[in-house]
Amino acid sequence: MARTRKVTVSTDAYGHTAGWAATELEEALAVPPDPTAAAFFDVDNTMMQGASIYWFARGLAARKYFTSGDLARFAWQQLRFRVLATEHAGDMSQAKEAALAFVAGWRVDDVERLSEEIFDELMAPRIWGGSRALAQLHLDAGQRVWLVSAAPVEIGRVIAQRLGLTGAIGTVAEIEDGAYTGRLVGDLMHGPAKADAIAQLASVEGLDLTRCTAYSDSSNDIPMLSAVGHAVAVNPDSALRREARDRGWEIRDFRTGRKAAKIAVPSTAAAGLVVGAVTAGLALRRRRRLGR
């Protein structure tokens, strides 16, 4: 014998169905999408504590793709390069060459799978709650939100997907037959390249950059911050803090006391790991896999 389910429908004092009223109210309060405004968030030290590529490298090391000694040695080498590059007007030629070695020969689906695993294990707990809340405010206002990072775009996409954001802009590697060729498509997503990228995206998506907002912690991103109508310095380095004060930009700092000092050291060293420890680790694993 078939069972019948009793359904209770509540009504208000006027006899209207409460469920319908709630639905109508929800629809009335929904914010319509704003097709001309968007927000752009840098990732490292802005959306998350430290550098995404550092945590990616840590995850690879935990999986025996390379050793902790490789991690420390190349972190030091790339910290030295980072300082020299800054002193020489941001020359990124060495970084571009090393970035090629990082991706050469690897399957795209392997990198995406590892990025998902490592985000859940190591990156998710390090997302700044304040930055995540800021991104949600834009989403709630009907705006789209993109991450903009020098890290490989596959990592950025995973972070954006996990956080429920629109998408990500990052360093792009050429792909043939599902594997990386070792050649970059365009430049590293660093410095002025970020400003160029959001300008191109604005053109394609019909955005009005004067109505957009950008967030970053680094003075390297001043070009991107200058390209939008509303710039916000998040956990800023000293140079960006000075620039923000001079220009009247909003400053948001989610760090406190000693915690801030602890975060600054690994994030600075880690920013170069995309051309250091990760490059070495993946090359080492590739050699082992091929029996060389």
Side-chain angles (χ1 to χ4, degrees):
M1 179 176 179
R3 292 185 178 181
T4 59
R5 186 176 62 178
K6 183 179 180 180
V7 178
T8 301
V9 178
S10 61
T11 60
D12 59 18
Y14 300 96
H16 299 141
T17 303
W20 292 351
T23 301
E24 290 174 358
L25 177 61
E26 184 177 338
E27 291 176 352
L29 294 177
V31 178
D34 186 343
T36 63
F40 303 97
F41 283 80
D42 170 56
V43 175
D44 300 346
N45 243 3
T46 302
M47 183 56 73
M48 70 161 47
Q49 300 177 35
S52 57
I53 197 66
Y54 172 76
W55 299 116
F56 184 62
R58 283 280 298 270
L60 292 179
R63 289 163 173 76
K64 310 301 181 184
Y65 281 76
F66 55 90
T67 69
S68 57
D70 293 328
L71 185 68
R73 181 170 64 257
F74 284 94
W76 166 249
Q77 290 177 354
Q78 295 313 309
L79 174 60
R80 180 174 179 274
F81 164 73
R82 183 179 172 87
V83 173
L84 292 174
T86 300
E87 291 176 350
H88 292 84
D91 179 11
M92 298 298 289
S93 58
Q94 294 181 43
K96 290 178 69 173
E97 293 175 2
L100 305 181
F102 162 47
V103 296
W106 274 71
R107 302 290 304 177
V108 176
D109 52 4
D110 286 339
V111 173
E112 291 178 342
R113 173 182 54 80
L114 288 166
S115 297
E116 291 173 353
E117 293 176 5
I118 294 169
F119 174 84
D120 294 337
E121 294 171 10
L122 298 176
M123 300 183 195
R126 293 172 171 85
I127 297 295
W128 288 110
S131 294
R132 179 67 188 87
L134 289 172
Q136 190 61 49
L137 287 175
H138 288 281
L139 294 173
D140 291 344
Q143 300 178 18
R144 288 166 286 178
V145 178
W146 278 277
L147 299 178
V148 187
S149 175
V153 69
E154 288 78 10
I155 295 177
R157 286 173 182 162
V158 167
I159 298 172
Q161 182 181 45
R162 289 294 201 262
L163 297 181
L165 307 182
T166 307
I169 300 170
T171 299
V172 178
E174 185 181 67
I175 299 170
E176 288 184 0
D177 299 324
Y180 296 107
T181 66
R183 295 184 293 271
L184 291 184
V185 177
D187 293 323
L188 288 173
M189 194 55 58
H190 175 83
K194 287 188 178 183
D196 293 340
I198 67 171
Q200 292 176 28
L201 182 65
S203 178
V204 172
E205 297 289 335
L207 300 173
D208 179 355
L209 286 179
T210 65
R211 302 192 63 246
C212 293
T213 307
Y215 299 83
S216 180
D217 73 294
S218 173
S219 58
N220 289 326
D221 287 337
I222 288 176
M224 179 178 74
L225 294 169
S226 302
V228 297
H230 185 202
V232 183
V234 177
N235 306 325
D237 59 29
S238 57
L240 179 57
R241 186 178 293 273
R242 288 193 300 270
E243 188 77 13
R245 287 173 175 168
D246 290 343
R247 297 200 188 193
W249 289 344
E250 185 179 350
I251 298 175
R252 300 268 187 151
D253 202 325
F254 304 122
R255 304 164 300 181
T256 56
R258 293 178 60 189
K259 185 177 180 181
K262 290 179 181 178
I263 293 169
V265 175
S267 64
T268 300
L273 284 174
V274 67
V275 293
V278 177
T279 298
L282 298 185
L284 176 61
R285 182 183 185 281
R286 190 159 56 245
R287 288 197 300 271
R288 289 173 177 169
R289 189 178 64 222
L290 297 174
R292 293 178 181 176

